[in-house]
Amino acid sequence: MLLAATAVAYLVLLAYTVALLAALVHTLLFAADSLSAYLELAAYALAYPLVYLAAAWTFYHGLKPVPPHKPTHPSSTEHP
């Protein structure tokens, strides 16, 4: 479950980064004189740290090493 959440978080972060770059290119090349385009770009840029933080939190918990499995069967335990 955590591995799937990590993959989704990676895809969301990638998609958001591409959308932010697309909004930047659109604003600079096609809507350079439009205030609404700059406000939209500012909204994307201000929300980016939140998206990044959520992805980093998911990466931290999703990519933790799994502790080794301890045997529960009595015959598999070691005796001194």
Side-chain angles (χ1 to χ4, degrees), residues 2-55:
L2 286 175
L3 188 59
T6 302
V8 169
Y10 178 77
L11 291 175
V12 167
L13 184 60
L14 179 64
Y16 198 88
T17 302
V18 169
L20 180 60
L21 291 174
L24 176 65
V25 168
H26 179 266
T27 300
L28 293 177
L29 297 179
F30 302 114
D33 58 346
S34 174
L35 179 63
S36 64
Y38 283 106
L39 290 175
E40 180 182 347
L41 180 62
Y44 271 116
L46 290 174
Y48 190 80
L50 298 175
V51 172
Y52 185 85
L53 182 63

Side-chain angles (χ1 to χ4, degrees), residues 1-2 66 74:
M1 175 85 173
L2 286 175
V66 177

Side-chain angles (χ1 to χ4, degrees), residues 55-73:
W57 183 86
T58 306
F59 295 157
Y60 176 77
H61 289 287
L63 298 176
K64 271 187 185 176
V66 177
H69 178 69
K70 293 182 181 180
T72 57
H73 193 273

